[in-house]
Amino acid sequence: MDLGSDIYRQQILDHYRNPRNHGSLEEPTFTHEGENTMCGDLIEMDVELDDDDVITSVAFRGDGCAISQASASMLTERLIGMSLEEVDALDRDDMIDMLGVEISPMRVKCAVLAEKVVQDGADIHRGKIDLDRTNLDDS
Amino acid sequence: MDLGSDIYRQQILDHYRNPRNHGSLEEPTFTHEGENTMCGDLIEMDVELDDDDVITSVAFRGDGCAISQASASMLTERLIGMSLEEVDALDRDDMIDMLGVEISPMRVKCAVLAEKVVQDGADIHRGKIDLDRTNLDDS
Amino acid sequence: MGVTGSALLDVDRIRRDFPVLERRLGDDRPLVYLDNSATSLTPSPVVDAMATYYNEYNANVHRGLHQLSQEASIAYEDAHDAVAEFIGADGREEVIFTKNTTESLNLVAYSWGLEHLGPGDEVVITEMEHHAALVTWQQIARRTGATLRYIGLTDDGRLDMSSASERIGDDTAVVSAVHVSNTLGTVNPVDDLVDMAHEHDAIAVIDGAQAVPMRPVDVGSMDADFYAFSGHKMLGPTGIGVLYGKEELLQRLEPFLYGGSMIEKVTFDESRWNELPWKFEAGTPPIAEGIGLHRAVDYLESIGMDRIQRHEEALVSYALERFDALDDVEVYGPRDPATRGGLLAFNLETVHPHDLAQVMNDFAVAIRAGDHCTQPLHDRLDITASARASFYVYNQPSDIDVLIDGIDAARELFIA
Amino acid sequence: MGVTGSALLDVDRIRRDFPVLERRLGDDRPLVYLDNSATSLTPSPVVDAMATYYNEYNANVHRGLHQLSQEASIAYEDAHDAVAEFIGADGREEVIFTKNTTESLNLVAYSWGLEHLGPGDEVVITEMEHHAALVTWQQIARRTGATLRYIGLTDDGRLDMSSASERIGDDTAVVSAVHVSNTLGTVNPVDDLVDMAHEHDAIAVIDGAQAVPMRPVDVGSMDADFYAFSGHKMLGPTGIGVLYGKEELLQRLEPFLYGGSMIEKVTFDESRWNELPWKFEAGTPPIAEGIGLHRAVDYLESIGMDRIQRHEEALVSYALERFDALDDVEVYGPRDPATRGGLLAFNLETVHPHDLAQVMNDFAVAIRAGDHCTQPLHDRLDITASARASFYVYNQPSDIDVLIDGIDAARELFIA
Ligand SMILES: Cc1ncc(COP(=O)(O)O)c(C=O)c1O
Ligand SMILES: Cc1ncc(COP(=O)(O)O)c(C=O)c1O
């Protein structure tokens, strides 16, 4: 049985079972939370910036399906060292590429939740938007 | 072309073109009117009774399709000499038999309008029901 | 025969897609279907597309995770995109699938009307409205205390635009007008009506049930706020209608029907709504019907709506020419084929339209007789009923010849 | 295998009528369709009956005078009679065709609710209502100022009847309850609920979307005032639902949707309504869908609803037995197969239901994962989502074996 060849590639399963940067930061520059009500996926992310607005550390916690949690874990690894401009430039295709598997249209929201959370968090931090929490179903 | 073999039998056409007992009575015992709103058929009938409640004369006027007007004309011929009990006993099948042709379900209302008008008129006359005018769509 | 051949479609080829045209009726005569304004026939590709859904990917939508549901969801969502493009809407957010034009108009009247109308407000409609709009606005006006006002007609059955200017004013909250009248055939100047509504900050609701099947329609350039039509009149299945609405209006509008899949989040105490267009599609939607409608749109586009419009005009033109030669027939509506849709309501003196339709049936000609759901218009024309012949892509000039033969036979039968 | 063979239907023979069951998915595995509570598959006779309408007597109804319209009208009206008989209604007057259960319930809430509800009135529903009833009554209560009250549940997922006695009282105007829960599977004591409602002069509205497909239903003996269900869950097409209503209630009720064919007489100023059931069917109705539903009813009757109920019980019983052997699976709802419908919602510890459904899809098993349109019930159970397997006439014990294999594989994949 070769389920792994498809959506649950070893990598995703590994990140799901052993999430990287899981937990919270002592003194985050900003924290933001988002959900995908339809699926019940939840991601909360802490981000720490240096003086040049480059991400120095990041941590997340959450609840939900493998795609949402593994993509958050994978994203945190890539975020470190990124400037907020680079975060702004992330898009849906980056997330899907990063996961490295085919994502059915029904699950795209699971795959992009973590990206939206960090982007909205960064926007709020810079005063660009005013938002309590991200809700993917609103978009 | 044999259209006449079907619904527009010679008899019906004859009654439609030359309606019997058409017009009004000088001193009707009762008058009643009814319509078939959906089709726009209209029949008004005057009836004169003797002391035993037997119909001595009858006249009608109206507007509408051949079936409604011809069946009214044919019915007036049969009504003369009938007691009100006999009128009560008339039903839908009597009307269809009288027309002598197949009546499609869509046109049954056209065929029974005259019958309903005389029956409702007789009922009102005897105080059995209270009604302004017969409306087949209400039934 | 007076018909410009080049204006006509390749009817022989089109007819092969409509198996019902092989029906023979009565005295073994081939069916001549001239009741298209009531409902169009349905080509095999549309019937097949629905059968394929049932036989290959039968599932509920709303993004279930299993393969069949994914396929059905994508097909159903694609249908919205196809319809949006067909009518010039900005995207699927503006295209709500309902069950018919009637529900589409009720949706607007209930959701928009109950919220925005009150005493002092005026609802302006036309004397030629179909009951779907007329009765609905009449009743919603009654409930809200708003006043219903009618735009009158000219003697030749067009909208009286001076009456329109009088009726549409600062108290007008909504102007609701039929695009192509299903009785008079009149093509109304909807662009002007929309402009007049907007000048007075009213919304414009257009009933396109007879327009979308017959001619190119672009809701965007028309600038209508809402636009309603039915699948079954444009080669699609029964059980589906469309309501186009401007996105910003739909965003602000309260939902109409409540239930599954129109919500985003529900608790025992309150609910939040889903995104467009799903906010207005409660419960299991017409899935097979949406897929069928998509196929119908493809079919119409493969012919070309411009060419369909020319075909309709050519048939109406020929029919008017033949009717003109009969002096006991009265045809309602404008005379110019370029300003009317492909339908003709008429009366033969001395023969009741129901009798005419029945005689026609003996000729295997399907026409409609009655009030065509425009009773007040019939009152206005001082008639109780009329006969109506309406044409579509599979009709040909010889169908009109058979119609005229039937009229001649009926006259003979009833007057002889 | 723990399944009483005699309780099962002749599944091999039935499966031949469902071409979609020949689909092979993923790794060339045969489709195992366990998403019947979302929508059932559709047998060829139903698809064929609709194609026959389109290919042989495609026409609008409302008693047009031509042959095709006569045939379509009779077929469409007969469909009402067949459905009336199937559910024990008194006649076609009591059977309204809508587009789905959701519209049926909205019809009652709008037409009856907006007229009868006001501050001080109470609407009593259950904590296990589907959004179709829950959101609708919640919003209509909000508009009218009525209060919404919920009947609570027992720990094993049945209605708490002592809570029902407390909630239903003299202020109760309507009791609306699901017959068979689409999440817990619970078969509710609707006869008792109807009696309790009537004792307090309230009306009883029953959501039978999951009950009518699975078991004999007699609305007459139940004495429900309104009863709603959908065609697409009982082998019929999408795009059609049913609202049963007691004739005397429907007579007094104001119409919901306004338009053609629900009227008797219209003038510019006012309208009178048509007779039942047409008063509640505005516009062109779901004609092909009504004809398809008629055929679905015939199909179900040819099997026998008693036998279908026993088949469902046998499958649920076997599934519960297999689930019981897994100690990391939680099944929601009552344990006794005789008091539940043919569906099971469950969760596997450690595997999110969406992931489970996706793994199942690799096994060609179609299950649903999500909130099944009962979000408040899920909150009450303290879960965000669940997986659900639901059975119908073409399912067999081996389908459940494949389901269990999928669960085992998912566990291994995610926990290893
Ligand atoms: C119990 C129940 N009620 C109502 C509905 C809604 O049915 P529909 O989507 O056909 O309107 C469903 C189906 O999802 C259901 O299971
Ligand atoms: C102009 C017009 N509006 C509305 C309708 C109603 O359409 P439907 O019956 O599909 O709701 C019709 C069709 O009869 C129509 O011709």
Side-chain angles (χ1 to χ4, degrees), chain C residues 313-325:
Chain C
E313 283 174 13
L315 289 175
V316 162
S317 173
Y318 179 60
L320 281 171
E321 189 185 313
R322 297 258 4 218
F323 273 119
D324 277 345

PDB file of all heavy atoms in Angstrom, chain C residues 313-325:
ATOM      1  N   GLU C 313     -35.269  36.709 -35.170  1.00  0.00           N
ATOM      2  CA  GLU C 313     -35.825  37.850 -35.900  1.00  0.00           C
ATOM      3  C   GLU C 313     -36.342  37.423 -37.274  1.00  0.00           C
ATOM      4  O   GLU C 313     -37.390  37.875 -37.730  1.00  0.00           O
ATOM      5  CB  GLU C 313     -34.768  38.952 -36.063  1.00  0.00           C
ATOM      6  CG  GLU C 313     -34.561  39.752 -34.784  1.00  0.00           C
ATOM      7  CD  GLU C 313     -33.408  40.752 -34.864  1.00  0.00           C
ATOM      8  OE1 GLU C 313     -32.908  41.011 -35.995  1.00  0.00           O
ATOM      9  OE2 GLU C 313     -33.014  41.242 -33.806  1.00  0.00           O
ATOM     10  N   ALA C 314     -35.593  36.539 -37.920  1.00  0.00           N
ATOM     11  CA  ALA C 314     -36.006  36.086 -39.245  1.00  0.00           C
ATOM     12  C   ALA C 314     -37.322  35.312 -39.159  1.00  0.00           C
ATOM     13  O   ALA C 314     -38.228  35.491 -39.990  1.00  0.00           O
ATOM     14  CB  ALA C 314     -34.909  35.210 -39.867  1.00  0.00           C
ATOM     15  N   LEU C 315     -37.453  34.471 -38.121  1.00  0.00           N
ATOM     16  CA  LEU C 315     -38.686  33.694 -37.987  1.00  0.00           C
ATOM     17  C   LEU C 315     -39.869  34.606 -37.647  1.00  0.00           C
ATOM     18  O   LEU C 315     -40.969  34.449 -38.203  1.00  0.00           O
ATOM     19  CB  LEU C 315     -38.526  32.603 -36.923  1.00  0.00           C
ATOM     20  CG  LEU C 315     -37.595  31.440 -37.308  1.00  0.00           C
ATOM     21  CD1 LEU C 315     -37.427  30.485 -36.125  1.00  0.00           C
ATOM     22  CD2 LEU C 315     -38.130  30.671 -38.522  1.00  0.00           C
ATOM     23  N   VAL C 316     -39.652  35.548 -36.745  1.00  0.00           N
ATOM     24  CA  VAL C 316     -40.733  36.468 -36.380  1.00  0.00           C
ATOM     25  C   VAL C 316     -41.144  37.293 -37.583  1.00  0.00           C
ATOM     26  O   VAL C 316     -42.332  37.522 -37.837  1.00  0.00           O
ATOM     27  CB  VAL C 316     -40.289  37.399 -35.229  1.00  0.00           C
ATOM     28  CG1 VAL C 316     -41.202  38.609 -35.131  1.00  0.00           C
ATOM     29  CG2 VAL C 316     -40.315  36.638 -33.920  1.00  0.00           C
ATOM     30  N   SER C 317     -40.162  37.697 -38.334  1.00  0.00           N
ATOM     31  CA  SER C 317     -40.427  38.505 -39.499  1.00  0.00           C
ATOM     32  C   SER C 317     -41.292  37.729 -40.499  1.00  0.00           C
ATOM     33  O   SER C 317     -42.293  38.235 -41.022  1.00  0.00           O
ATOM     34  CB  SER C 317     -39.049  38.866 -40.050  1.00  0.00           C
ATOM     35  OG  SER C 317     -39.136  39.498 -41.238  1.00  0.00           O
ATOM     36  N   TYR C 318     -40.927  36.490 -40.714  1.00  0.00           N
ATOM     37  CA  TYR C 318     -41.706  35.655 -41.628  1.00  0.00           C
ATOM     38  C   TYR C 318     -43.117  35.420 -41.076  1.00  0.00           C
ATOM     39  O   TYR C 318     -44.116  35.504 -41.798  1.00  0.00           O
ATOM     40  CB  TYR C 318     -40.990  34.323 -41.857  1.00  0.00           C
ATOM     41  CG  TYR C 318     -41.754  33.396 -42.775  1.00  0.00           C
ATOM     42  CD1 TYR C 318     -42.069  33.771 -44.084  1.00  0.00           C
ATOM     43  CD2 TYR C 318     -42.177  32.151 -42.329  1.00  0.00           C
ATOM     44  CE1 TYR C 318     -42.791  32.938 -44.922  1.00  0.00           C
ATOM     45  CE2 TYR C 318     -42.900  31.305 -43.166  1.00  0.00           C
ATOM     46  CZ  TYR C 318     -43.204  31.707 -44.455  1.00  0.00           C
ATOM     47  OH  TYR C 318     -43.915  30.884 -45.291  1.00  0.00           O
ATOM     48  N   ALA C 319     -43.214  35.155 -39.774  1.00  0.00           N
ATOM     49  CA  ALA C 319     -44.521  34.899 -39.168  1.00  0.00           C
ATOM     50  C   ALA C 319     -45.413  36.137 -39.279  1.00  0.00           C
ATOM     51  O   ALA C 319     -46.599  36.034 -39.628  1.00  0.00           O
ATOM     52  CB  ALA C 319     -44.362  34.490 -37.700  1.00  0.00           C
ATOM     53  N   LEU C 320     -44.821  37.320 -39.021  1.00  0.00           N
ATOM     54  CA  LEU C 320     -45.612  38.551 -39.120  1.00  0.00           C
ATOM     55  C   LEU C 320     -46.121  38.744 -40.543  1.00  0.00           C
ATOM     56  O   LEU C 320     -47.270  39.149 -40.755  1.00  0.00           O
ATOM     57  CB  LEU C 320     -44.767  39.762 -38.701  1.00  0.00           C
ATOM     58  CG  LEU C 320     -44.594  39.979 -37.195  1.00  0.00           C
ATOM     59  CD1 LEU C 320     -43.557  41.074 -36.928  1.00  0.00           C
ATOM     60  CD2 LEU C 320     -45.935  40.341 -36.547  1.00  0.00           C
ATOM     61  N   GLU C 321     -45.276  38.447 -41.492  1.00  0.00           N
ATOM     62  CA  GLU C 321     -45.651  38.565 -42.894  1.00  0.00           C
ATOM     63  C   GLU C 321     -46.841  37.658 -43.217  1.00  0.00           C
ATOM     64  O   GLU C 321     -47.820  38.077 -43.836  1.00  0.00           O
ATOM     65  CB  GLU C 321     -44.414  38.169 -43.713  1.00  0.00           C
ATOM     66  CG  GLU C 321     -44.480  38.400 -45.179  1.00  0.00           C
ATOM     67  CD  GLU C 321     -43.208  37.842 -45.850  1.00  0.00           C
ATOM     68  OE1 GLU C 321     -42.093  38.123 -45.340  1.00  0.00           O
ATOM     69  OE2 GLU C 321     -43.343  37.093 -46.843  1.00  0.00           O
ATOM     70  N   ARG C 322     -46.766  36.412 -42.752  1.00  0.00           N
ATOM     71  CA  ARG C 322     -47.868  35.491 -43.025  1.00  0.00           C
ATOM     72  C   ARG C 322     -49.125  35.912 -42.258  1.00  0.00           C
ATOM     73  O   ARG C 322     -50.236  35.801 -42.776  1.00  0.00           O
ATOM     74  CB  ARG C 322     -47.464  34.052 -42.647  1.00  0.00           C
ATOM     75  CG  ARG C 322     -46.294  33.503 -43.451  1.00  0.00           C
ATOM     76  CD  ARG C 322     -46.636  32.528 -44.568  1.00  0.00           C
ATOM     77  NE  ARG C 322     -48.009  32.251 -44.854  1.00  0.00           N
ATOM     78  CZ  ARG C 322     -48.476  31.057 -45.200  1.00  0.00           C
ATOM     79  NH1 ARG C 322     -47.671  30.012 -45.269  1.00  0.00           N
ATOM     80  NH2 ARG C 322     -49.750  30.877 -45.486  1.00  0.00           N
ATOM     81  N   PHE C 323     -48.965  36.355 -41.013  1.00  0.00           N
ATOM     82  CA  PHE C 323     -50.132  36.787 -40.232  1.00  0.00           C
ATOM     83  C   PHE C 323     -50.794  38.010 -40.871  1.00  0.00           C
ATOM     84  O   PHE C 323     -52.017  38.156 -40.831  1.00  0.00           O
ATOM     85  CB  PHE C 323     -49.734  37.123 -38.788  1.00  0.00           C
ATOM     86  CG  PHE C 323     -49.742  35.933 -37.866  1.00  0.00           C
ATOM     87  CD1 PHE C 323     -48.590  35.508 -37.221  1.00  0.00           C
ATOM     88  CD2 PHE C 323     -50.915  35.234 -37.624  1.00  0.00           C
ATOM     89  CE1 PHE C 323     -48.610  34.419 -36.362  1.00  0.00           C
ATOM     90  CE2 PHE C 323     -50.940  34.140 -36.761  1.00  0.00           C
ATOM     91  CZ  PHE C 323     -49.784  33.727 -36.128  1.00  0.00           C
ATOM     92  N   ASP C 324     -49.965  38.873 -41.434  1.00  0.00           N
ATOM     93  CA  ASP C 324     -50.497  40.095 -42.021  1.00  0.00           C
ATOM     94  C   ASP C 324     -51.495  39.807 -43.140  1.00  0.00           C
ATOM     95  O   ASP C 324     -52.393  40.599 -43.398  1.00  0.00           O
ATOM     96  CB  ASP C 324     -49.358  40.964 -42.575  1.00  0.00           C
ATOM     97  CG  ASP C 324     -48.730  41.808 -41.480  1.00  0.00           C
ATOM     98  OD1 ASP C 324     -49.368  41.926 -40.402  1.00  0.00           O
ATOM     99  OD2 ASP C 324     -47.622  42.320 -41.676  1.00  0.00           O
ATOM    100  N   ALA C 325     -51.317  38.658 -43.758  1.00  0.00           N
ATOM    101  CA  ALA C 325     -52.205  38.315 -44.860  1.00  0.00           C
ATOM    102  C   ALA C 325     -53.572  37.817 -44.372  1.00  0.00           C
ATOM    103  O   ALA C 325     -54.496  37.620 -45.156  1.00  0.00           O
ATOM    104  CB  ALA C 325     -51.544  37.250 -45.743  1.00  0.00           C
TER     105      ALA C 325
END
